[in-house]
């Protein structure tokens, strides 16, 4: 629920190391103004030659612990506007009063000779690479969260954090937080836990402090440091202030008159000698509060919960202070102090403008450049609140007044040996591909010569030994004459024999391919059967490799074995012999899985019967009466509770639910709106495709869209049941991935993009179209633009970061819907795709060709740009005010030649209309508009936008 003030300002991040913890000298006291004797808040207390430090609180008091080994280092006490003081402490002192003398203020004309505050700021921005450490850093930090509602304490927690801070902004290198130690005051009892949980548990505010890094994100959309926003503010050099032995230039920032985009005001302190920006003091303007209330209150999570609990939170003001400290020649974040003022309204609770305040203080206490590695374990969740992440014990003396360096803290950074991570080379664009990948991914003549019509799989699962033993009958129809065929089974699985007409067949193996030799030539049009007997221990998933599959041998909360197959990327041949190519699906399938007595086994389709096998085992026999791709065939084994329901839509459909018994009630809450979800999908995509086989949702170790047996992962009893996005996504695959399937892994975006987009349609159905748009725009954070969405064909190209298949693909579809600007056509198209390709496999070219035919327009350039290139289409424009009018010049910059796409911009105040850019420059005069009125509709179009600003200075990574 944190406001995305990153879009407004962006404040630097705090990450810190842990020092060897032996004995400490403890200094406590108060920092005061030597003239007035008033306390000085936020004064810096740190070792002069080290990064270890703290600050005074709002009462001017502090507690500072100095590890004894660097005790010879003196303590520097400083604050902007005061002369610094240096003291040497050799013994513990609990009653220190340190007075700071106000510094002399100089007139700006005396101190510098630059023309304006804006010119100074531009030079400071250009100097960012020289002044700030833009490499990875480990830090320790202290964090405090203090939330009040109607003058009562709602949430108070404190923690010492270990932080990995990176200046990079790609998905492989993200800021990480680990909680070393933390305590909180237990939340007061109430009779409305859902409401109080909502207003008291803010999405991780420690991480949001890091995301507000104004140096790292200096050029984002609404930053005061972004050149495109200079036109909205006055940057005035107000004065120079002495601090210690340096002079600070004070730049006042105020919005210009009559601009809606001047959303903050504040002060920047810049070191005159180095032009380093050392302190930011900012607060929102009324326009800024309006902006946050429209765009930054936590996006989808806030909006969903607002509707669920029947309440609203509206910001009335935000104040922030961010400071940086020098260490070993570079500047690092020192503090991020934030104060939020909010009013809460809830008609059902008779609450009207009830005040809510939050103080969030992030203090860096140490910097480590010696052991800078990403954390491998213990990383805190971005989504959970700090209040939920730390323990429930609280002592009134615990870390009072920022006394944060505790002797008992483990030396978890400097004393820990480096983690050696074995990196397994996997086939992808970077590493290249091998013959093994071609054998796995290519539809060679030894595969295309036959078409599988039926599989009869029978497997005994040993839960203790993690061992499989069974056989698979393959019924096929001959397409081209052959006497040798390829089937597939991983090399670590042993083949006992292959039978044809009751006689064994010779075979050879190469990597995971099996080449079977027949005694006579197979005639086109004829049918045949072979049965492969096999056994072995299947591979387990390597979670460090995207889409690497296997059998998960897990335990439920009671300690019982819980097993599941997940093999979408690696392929079904990791656990059973088959023709492992996506282009060939059997018309139907029979699956028999034998498990120990007392366990339930769930596969695909209808459960025909349970058959006793001896005295200790049971065989579960399942029938699949529709085509199914190989990776969808599955087993999931556990001690389940089972209940059923009936959905009546285009026709009646049975629904089976399997959950862990301890999650039965939570499961019922989670699945409460499944029928509404199914109705939504049937309305937008067409009838459910597997009615004879029913529809099953089951709790599982891992979420996976197994056909007619959809696995939704482990149920989180604390999650919001009103927004089960994972259920929506996996169920949508029954249409996108199961009813229609890609022929090659390179085109798997057709599964994932449509299923991810489908989630937003459920949001639109349950709530409204605007909330669905918010839901979709939340996906932008996951877009990486590092590899094309379409992969490499014929090599099973799947072991790489495929997240853009989901997020970028979904947003591409969102964009295409808005390009069409005709919802009737859009939903007719979605239903038409399902009807035309149902129970078939297809390629990207097949799909795009159909879309062009259906819409009667060639959109090939659109899909090629989004699917085959990493760059988004970029709208370049320039603005020139001409009296009361605005001259707009614009064009597309794209990889696809002659790319064109309509996009909406403001053509009149508060009015968005289409323009039609091409790759050539166009001009348009906008009547009665100023530059500040112009906007590009990035909410409904996934594009890059750049205003050509005539070369104004900005720092780009």
């Amino acid at each position: 629920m944190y406001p995305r003030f990153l879009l407004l300002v962006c404040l630097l991040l705090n990450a810190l190391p842990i020092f060897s913890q032996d004995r400490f000298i403890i200094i406590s006291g108060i920092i005061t103004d030597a003239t007035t004797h008033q306390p000085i808040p936020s004064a810096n207390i740190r070792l002069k030659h080290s990064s270890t430090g703290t600050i005074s609180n709002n009462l001017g008091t502090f507690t500072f612990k100095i590890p004894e080994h660097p005790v010879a280092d003196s303590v520097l006490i400083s604050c902007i506007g005061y002369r610094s003081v240096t003291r040497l402490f050799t013994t513990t002192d609990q009653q220190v009063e340190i007075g700071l003398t106000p510094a002399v203020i100089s007139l700006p004309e005396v101190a510098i000779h630059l023309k304006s505050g804006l010119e100074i700021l531009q030079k400071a921005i250009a100097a960012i690479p020289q002044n700030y450490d833009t490499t990875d850093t480990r830090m320790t930090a202290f964090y405090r969260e203090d939330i009040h509602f109607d003058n009562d304490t709602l949430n108070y927690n404190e923690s010492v954090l270990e932080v990995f801070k990176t200046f990079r902004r790609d998905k492989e290198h993200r800021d990480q937080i680990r909680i070393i130690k933390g305590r909180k005051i237990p939340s007061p009892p109430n009779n409305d836990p859902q409401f109080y949980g909502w207003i008291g548990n803010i999405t991780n505010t420690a991480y949001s402090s890091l995301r507000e890094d104004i140096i790292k994100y200096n050029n984002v959309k609404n930053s005061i440091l972004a050149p495109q926003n200079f036109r909205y503010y006055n940057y005035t050099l107000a004065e120079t202030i002495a601090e210690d032995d340096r002079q600070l230039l004070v730049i006042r920032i105020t919005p210009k008159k009559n601009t809606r985009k001047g959303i903050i005001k504040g002060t920047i302190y810049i070191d005159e000698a180095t032009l380093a920006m050392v302190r930011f003091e900012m607060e929102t303007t009324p326009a800024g509060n309006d902006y946050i209330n429209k765009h930054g209150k936590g996006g989808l999570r806030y909006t969903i919960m607002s509707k669920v609990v029947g309440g609203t939170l509206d910001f009335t003001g935000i104040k922030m202070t961010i400071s940086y400290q020098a260490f070993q020649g570079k500047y690092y974040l020192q503090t991020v102090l934030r104060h939020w003022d909010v009013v809460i309204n809830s008609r059902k609770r008779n609450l009207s403008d009830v005040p809510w305040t939050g103080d969030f203080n992030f203090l860096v206490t140490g910097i480590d450049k010696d052991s800078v590695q990403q954390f491998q374990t213990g990383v805190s969740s971005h989504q959970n609140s700090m209040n939920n992440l730390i323990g429930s014990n609280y002592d009134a003396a615990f870390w009072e007044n920022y006394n944060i360096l505790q002797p008992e803290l483990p030396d978890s950074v400097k004393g820990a040996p480096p983690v050696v991570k074995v990196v397994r080379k996997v086939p992808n664009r970077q590493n290249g591909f091998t013959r093994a990948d071609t054998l796995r991914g290519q539809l060679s003549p030894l595969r295309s010569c036959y078409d599988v019509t039926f599989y009869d799989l029978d497997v005994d699962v040993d839960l203790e030994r993690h061992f499989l033993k069974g056989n698979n009958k393959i019924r096929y129809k001959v397409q081209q004459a052959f006497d040798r065929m390829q089937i597939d089974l991983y090399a670590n699985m042993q083949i006992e024999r292959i039978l044809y007409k009751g006689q064994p067949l010779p075979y050879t193996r190469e990597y995971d391919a099996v080449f079977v030799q027949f005694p006579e030539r197979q005639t086109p049009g004829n049918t045949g059967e072979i049965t492969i007997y096999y056994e072995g221990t299947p591979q387990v998933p390597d979670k460090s490799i995207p889409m690497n599959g296997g059998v998960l041998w897990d335990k439920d909360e009671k300690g019982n074995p819980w097993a599941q197959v997940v093999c979408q990327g690696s392929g079904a041949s990791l656990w059973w012999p088959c023709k492992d190519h996506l282009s060939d699906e059997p018309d139907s399938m029979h699956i028999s899985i034998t498990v120990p007595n007392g366990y339930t086994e769930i596969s695909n389709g209808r459960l025909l019967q349970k058959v006793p096998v001896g005295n200790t085992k049971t065989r579960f026999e399942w029938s699949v009466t529709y085509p199914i791709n190989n990776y969808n065939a599955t087993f999931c084994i556990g001690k389940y509770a089972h209940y059923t329901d009936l959905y009546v839509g285009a026709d009646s459909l049975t629904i089976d639910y399997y959950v862990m018994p301890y999650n039965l009630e939570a499961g019922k809450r989670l699945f409460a709106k499944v029928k509404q979800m199914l109705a939504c999908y049937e309305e937008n995509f067409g009838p459910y495709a597997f009615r004879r086989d029913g529809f099953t949702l089951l709790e599982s170790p891992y979420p996976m869209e197994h056909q007619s047996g959809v696995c939704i992962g482990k149920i989180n009893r604390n999650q919001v049941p009103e927004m089960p996005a994972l259920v929506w996504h996996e169920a949508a695959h029954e249409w996108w991935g199961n009813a229609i399937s890609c022929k090659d892994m390179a085109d798997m975006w057709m599964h994932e993009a449509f299923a991810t987009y489908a989630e937003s349609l459920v949001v639109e159905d349950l709530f409204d179209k605007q909330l669905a748009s918010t839901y979709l725009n939340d996906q932008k954070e996951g877009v990486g633009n590092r590899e094309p969405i379409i992969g490499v064909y014929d090599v099973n190209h799947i072991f790489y970061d495929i997240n853009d298949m989901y997020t970028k693909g979904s947003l591409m579809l969102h964009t295409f819907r808005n390009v069409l600007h005709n919802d009737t056509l859009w939903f007719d198209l979605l239903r038409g795709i399902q009807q035309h390709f149902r129970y078939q496999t297809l390629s990207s070219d097949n799909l795009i060709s159909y879309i062009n035919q259906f819409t009667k327009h060639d959109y090939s350039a659109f899909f090629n740009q989004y699917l085959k290139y990493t760059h988004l289409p970029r709208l370049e424009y320039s603005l020139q005010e001409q009296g009361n009018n605005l001259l707009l010049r614009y064009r597309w910059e794209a990889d696809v030649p002659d790319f064109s796409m309509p996009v909406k911009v403001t053509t009149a105040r508060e009015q968005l209309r289409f323009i039609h850019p091409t790759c050539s420059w166009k001009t348009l005069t906008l009547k009665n508009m100023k530059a500040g009125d112009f906007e590009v509709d990035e909410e409904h179009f996934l594009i890059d936008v750049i205003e050509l600003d005539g070369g104004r200075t900005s720092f780009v990574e």
Side-chain angles (χ1 to χ4, degrees):
M1 189 205 86
Y2 71 89
R4 297 192 177 181
F5 205 49
L6 168 130
L7 300 174
L8 311 174
V9 257
C10 316
L11 316 173
L12 179 58
L13 171 34
N14 321 2
L16 330 135
I18 311 269
F19 298 96
S20 297
Q21 309 289 329
D22 297 314
R23 297 175 58 190
F24 288 80
I25 290 174
I26 304 173
I27 304 112
S28 298
I30 185 169
I31 311 297
T32 62
D33 184 306
T35 303
T36 65
H37 302 289
Q38 293 297 310
I40 300 176
S42 300
N44 301 315
I45 305 101
R46 66 181 179 88
L47 295 181
K48 190 170 185 179
H49 299 102
S50 169
S51 63
T52 306
T54 185
I55 64 172
S56 60
N57 65 8
N58 289 331
L59 301 177
T61 59
F62 71 96
T63 298
F64 184 32
K65 291 190 173 184
I66 309 171
E68 197 170 60
H69 65 272
V71 72
D73 196 355
S74 54
V75 176
L76 178 67
I77 302 97
S78 63
C79 186
I80 290 177
Y82 292 89
R83 295 188 182 278
S84 300
V85 170
T86 302
R87 298 276 296 272
L88 182 63
F89 296 92
T90 58
T91 59
T92 292
D93 194 337
Q94 302 286 351
Q95 302 295 329
V96 178
E97 181 173 350
I98 301 172
L100 299 184
T101 303
V104 176
I105 298 176
S106 306
L107 296 176
E109 300 82 46
V110 177
I112 63 169
H113 305 285
L114 295 174
K115 294 180 180 179
S116 68
L118 180 57
E119 184 177 349
I120 297 169
L121 186 61
Q122 288 174 313
K123 290 181 179 295
I125 296 169
I128 285 176
Q130 290 74 46
N131 284 326
Y132 299 86
D133 187 351
T134 58
T135 64
D136 296 344
T137 305
R138 289 279 277 276
M139 303 176 174
T140 47
F142 175 74
Y143 193 69
R144 174 178 289 149
E145 183 176 86
D146 186 6
I147 296 174
H148 292 260
F149 176 56
D150 197 18
N151 297 318
D152 292 329
T153 299
L154 189 62
N155 174 359
Y156 187 97
N157 63 75
E158 301 170 315
S159 52
V160 168
L161 309 176
E162 188 177 15
V163 184
F164 171 82
K165 193 252 190 232
T166 180
F167 207 76
R168 290 174 283 187
R169 290 160 60 180
D170 58 90
K171 289 194 299 182
E172 285 76 20
H173 300 88
R174 290 191 171 181
D175 300 326
Q176 297 174 310
I177 289 175
R178 291 199 298 204
I179 298 174
I180 298 171
K181 188 174 184 181
R183 296 184 183 180
K184 64 185 178 185
I185 298 177
S187 300
N190 62 79
N191 58 2
D192 196 351
Q194 189 176 54
F195 175 73
Y196 280 90
W198 177 53
I199 65 174
N201 290 289
I202 313 303
T203 299
N204 199 305
T205 50
Y207 273 113
S208 71
S209 295
L210 307 186
R211 286 191 292 267
E212 308 275 27
D213 178 352
I214 196 166
I215 300 301
K216 179 176 177 179
Y217 298 100
N218 67 90
N219 201 26
V220 297
K221 182 176 180 181
N222 291 317
S223 170
I224 55 172
L225 303 185
Q228 67 267 23
N229 296 324
F230 290 162
R231 66 164 68 100
Y232 307 128
Y233 295 98
N234 298 306
Y235 299 86
T236 305
L237 175 59
E239 59 189 9
T240 63
I241 295 179
E243 185 197 27
D244 197 12
D245 56 354
R246 65 182 179 182
Q247 297 289 315
L248 299 180
L249 309 176
V250 182
I251 308 295
R252 308 281 187 208
I253 303 172
T254 55
K256 291 182 177 179
K257 292 183 178 180
N258 302 319
T259 175
R260 295 178 293 107
K261 296 186 178 181
I263 53 183
I264 69 166
K265 61 182 178 180
T267 304
I268 302 176
Y269 297 87
I270 301 175
D271 182 1
E272 182 180 10
T274 64
L275 292 180
M277 294 171 279
V278 299
R279 185 178 175 93
F280 294 80
E281 297 172 351
M282 294 166 287
E283 61 181 285
T284 51
T285 63
N289 295 330
D290 290 342
Y291 183 91
I292 293 173
N293 288 325
K294 290 179 181 178
H295 301 95
K297 291 194 291 189
L300 179 73
R301 288 175 177 272
Y302 163 78
T303 309
I304 290 282
M305 287 306 300
S306 176
K307 293 178 180 294
V308 169
V309 304
T312 62
L313 296 85
D314 294 295
F315 282 85
T316 58
I318 294 179
K319 294 181 180 179
M320 286 173 290
T321 299
I322 312 100
S323 65
Y324 299 84
Q325 65 172 323
F327 175 61
Q328 296 181 349
K330 293 288 186 179
Y331 277 89
Y332 300 82
L333 183 77
Q334 184 181 25
T335 56
V336 177
L337 310 176
R338 300 183 292 173
H339 176 83
W340 298 351
D341 285 309
V342 174
V343 292
I344 292 181
N345 290 276
S346 176
R347 183 177 299 177
K348 64 187 289 186
R349 297 173 180 84
N350 295 318
L351 301 177
S352 177
D353 288 344
V354 178
W356 178 104
T357 61
D359 287 283
F360 312 95
N361 298 335
F362 200 122
L363 166 64
V364 173
T365 58
I367 297 167
D368 183 8
K369 298 298 293 183
D370 297 332
S371 179
V372 182
Q373 295 178 344
Q374 288 181 295
F375 304 141
Q376 301 301 317
T377 59
V379 179
S380 297
S381 165
H382 286 74
Q383 302 299 329
N384 214 336
S385 70
M386 291 296 290
N387 190 52
N388 284 335
L389 288 173
I390 65 176
S392 59
N393 295 324
Y394 183 82
D395 179 347
F398 181 69
W399 294 330
E400 191 65 26
N401 300 327
Y402 289 52
N403 177 21
I404 62 169
L405 294 179
Q406 299 296 320
E408 65 271 23
L409 289 181
D411 183 3
S412 57
V413 176
K414 291 190 173 179
V419 176
V420 178
K421 184 178 180 180
V422 178
V423 179
R424 184 174 151 198
K425 189 174 181 180
V426 294
N428 52 38
R429 288 186 176 97
Q430 290 71 38
N431 296 331
F433 301 94
T434 66
R435 173 163 170 76
D437 304 315
T438 301
L439 289 172
R440 172 69 179 85
Q442 187 180 68
L443 187 63
S444 66
L446 295 183
R447 282 170 151 177
S448 61
C449 62
Y450 70 101
D451 172 45
V452 175
T453 60
F454 178 72
Y455 287 124
D456 189 352
L457 178 63
D458 188 350
V459 181
D460 188 308
V461 180
D462 190 325
L463 292 177
E464 292 186 0
R465 296 171 56 215
H466 299 174
F467 191 82
L468 308 181
K469 183 178 179 64
N471 65 84
N472 182 36
K473 180 186 293 183
I474 302 177
R475 186 176 301 153
Y476 58 87
K477 183 175 183 180
V478 181
Q479 302 296 305
Q480 291 92 33
F482 70 87
D483 60 5
R484 189 167 179 252
M485 67 158 56
Q486 177 185 335
I487 61 173
D488 304 278
L489 182 68
Y490 270 38
N492 64 298
M493 303 293 284
Q494 293 76 49
I495 295 177
E496 293 183 348
R497 62 189 184 277
I498 301 176
L499 297 183
Y500 171 68
K501 297 181 178 180
Q503 299 299 314
L505 292 178
Y507 60 90
T508 58
R509 305 191 71 169
E510 183 180 4
Y511 299 106
D512 300 328
V514 182
F515 301 102
V516 183
Q517 186 67 49
F518 285 79
E520 73 273 350
R521 200 160 182 80
Q522 304 285 299
T523 304
N526 287 353
T527 61
E529 288 182 358
I530 62 172
T531 304
I532 305 99
Y533 293 84
Y534 74 104
E535 65 181 18
T537 301
Q539 75 174 33
V540 295
D542 183 342
K543 295 181 181 179
S544 68
I545 301 173
M547 298 299 290
N548 182 265
V551 177
L552 292 164
W553 307 100
D554 205 349
K555 299 280 189 181
D556 65 21
E557 290 184 12
K558 303 299 184 181
N560 301 306
W562 194 8
Q564 178 194 9
V565 174
V566 179
C567 61
Q568 182 176 17
S570 297
S573 56
L574 69 82
W575 75 281
W576 61 284
C578 58
K579 178 182 176 180
D580 205 357
H581 196 275
L582 289 174
S583 65
D584 195 355
E585 298 181 356
D587 300 328
S588 58
M589 186 171 182
H590 191 278
I591 303 172
S592 298
I593 305 292
T594 300
V595 300
N597 289 343
Y599 288 87
T600 299
E601 189 277 324
I602 304 105
S603 287
N604 313 84
R606 294 280 185 190
L607 178 62
L608 299 179
Q609 60 180 344
K610 294 186 289 184
V611 179
V613 179
N615 296 323
T616 60
K617 296 181 180 181
T618 303
R619 183 170 63 246
F620 289 74
E621 298 182 359
W622 300 82
S623 174
V624 179
T625 64
Y626 297 91
I628 181 172
N629 63 46
N630 292 346
Y631 72 74
N632 266 325
T634 190
F635 65 72
C636 199
I637 304 165
K639 289 183 175 290
Y640 280 99
H642 174 223
Y643 67 100
T644 62
D645 202 350
L646 182 69
Y647 164 72
V648 180
D651 200 352
S652 60
L653 173 67
T654 58
I655 306 176
D656 287 86
Y657 299 102
Y658 293 88
V659 298
M660 291 292 104
Y662 48 78
N663 280 332
L664 182 58
E665 294 307 315
K668 290 181 177 180
R669 291 192 298 270
L670 184 68
F671 299 139
K673 294 188 177 180
V674 161
K675 289 192 280 189
Q676 190 170 348
M677 172 199 72
L678 290 171
C680 172
Y681 287 162
E682 287 205 319
E683 178 183 359
N684 292 318
F685 307 144
Y688 178 72
F690 311 109
R691 262 185 163 72
R692 291 193 303 272
D693 290 355
F695 178 61
T696 296
L697 287 171
L698 63 146
E699 185 179 6
S700 58
Y702 194 83
M704 185 63 206
E705 62 267 22
H706 297 129
Q707 181 173 307
S708 66
V710 177
C711 296
I712 57 109
K714 295 178 180 179
I715 292 175
N716 178 357
R717 293 187 287 276
N718 295 320
Q719 76 181 83
V720 179
E722 288 81 8
M723 196 184 73
L726 199 56
V727 175
W728 302 340
H729 179 92
E730 302 304 341
H733 277 303
E734 292 284 61
W735 283 261
W736 306 100
N738 300 348
I740 66 172
S741 305
C742 63
K743 288 182 176 180
D744 191 292
M745 274 295 177
D747 288 329
M748 203 179 73
W749 71 270
M750 293 186 292
H751 299 201
E752 302 303 346
F754 280 96
T756 306
Y757 177 74
E759 299 167 29
S760 72
L761 295 182
V762 182
V763 175
E764 187 172 334
D765 181 70
L766 293 177
F767 300 100
D768 53 51
K769 193 171 183 178
Q770 180 56 50
L771 182 55
S773 182
T774 301
Y775 186 94
L776 285 159
N777 277 273
D778 274 3
Q779 296 172 4
K780 289 181 178 178
E781 291 186 4
V783 176
N785 290 323
R786 281 182 300 281
E787 294 200 39
I789 290 177
I790 289 180
V792 179
Y793 290 97
D794 296 333
V795 288
N796 197 53
H797 182 210
I798 197 63
F799 303 118
Y800 64 102
D801 183 354
I802 62 169
N803 198 58
D804 277 5
M805 284 187 186
Y806 298 73
T807 54
K808 185 178 179 181
S810 169
L811 288 161
M812 175 192 72
L813 297 175
H814 175 56
T815 301
F816 188 60
R817 176 182 180 179
N818 286 282
V819 166
L820 290 179
H821 194 54
N822 182 335
D823 272 2
T824 299
L825 177 61
W826 171 241
F827 289 108
D828 283 348
L829 172 63
L830 295 180
R831 289 185 289 268
I833 293 170
Q834 283 290 320
Q835 182 177 3
H836 184 78
F837 293 107
R838 179 151 290 195
Y839 310 129
Q840 297 180 44
T841 62
L842 67 155
S843 66
S844 291
D845 288 343
N846 296 147
L847 178 60
I848 295 167
S849 176
Y850 177 82
I851 291 172
N852 293 340
Q853 178 185 357
F854 192 93
T855 60
K856 298 180 174 60
H857 185 88
D858 188 355
Y859 287 105
S860 299
F862 171 91
F863 288 104
N864 287 341
Q865 180 64 46
Y866 282 96
L867 295 173
K868 296 182 178 180
Y869 297 92
T870 57
H871 301 110
L872 297 176
R874 183 172 69 185
L875 182 65
E876 297 181 339
Y877 72 93
S878 64
L879 302 172
Q880 183 180 349
E881 293 183 350
Q882 297 180 338
N884 292 327
N885 299 329
L886 186 65
L887 180 65
L888 168 67
R889 295 181 69 245
Y890 58 95
R891 72 171 183 184
W892 285 118
E893 178 69 25
D895 299 284
V896 176
D898 301 322
F899 178 84
S900 63
M901 181 178 81
V903 65
K904 284 187 175 182
V905 301
T906 46
T907 56
R909 289 186 180 182
E910 306 294 337
Q911 292 184 13
L912 288 166
R913 294 181 179 175
F914 276 109
I915 58 173
H916 297 269
T918 64
C919 291
S920 300
W921 284 106
K922 292 184 177 182
T923 60
L924 179 65
T925 298
L926 305 176
K927 301 291 186 181
N928 300 312
M929 278 185 60
K930 298 294 183 183
D933 299 323
F934 183 78
E935 292 276 2
V936 178
D937 184 5
E938 295 180 68
E939 181 180 353
H940 298 96
F941 297 86
L942 179 65
I943 57 177
D944 279 337
V945 178
I946 183 170
E947 179 183 357
L948 303 179
D949 57 16
R952 284 176 287 184
T953 302
S954 65
F955 169 60
V956 180
E957 296 177 62

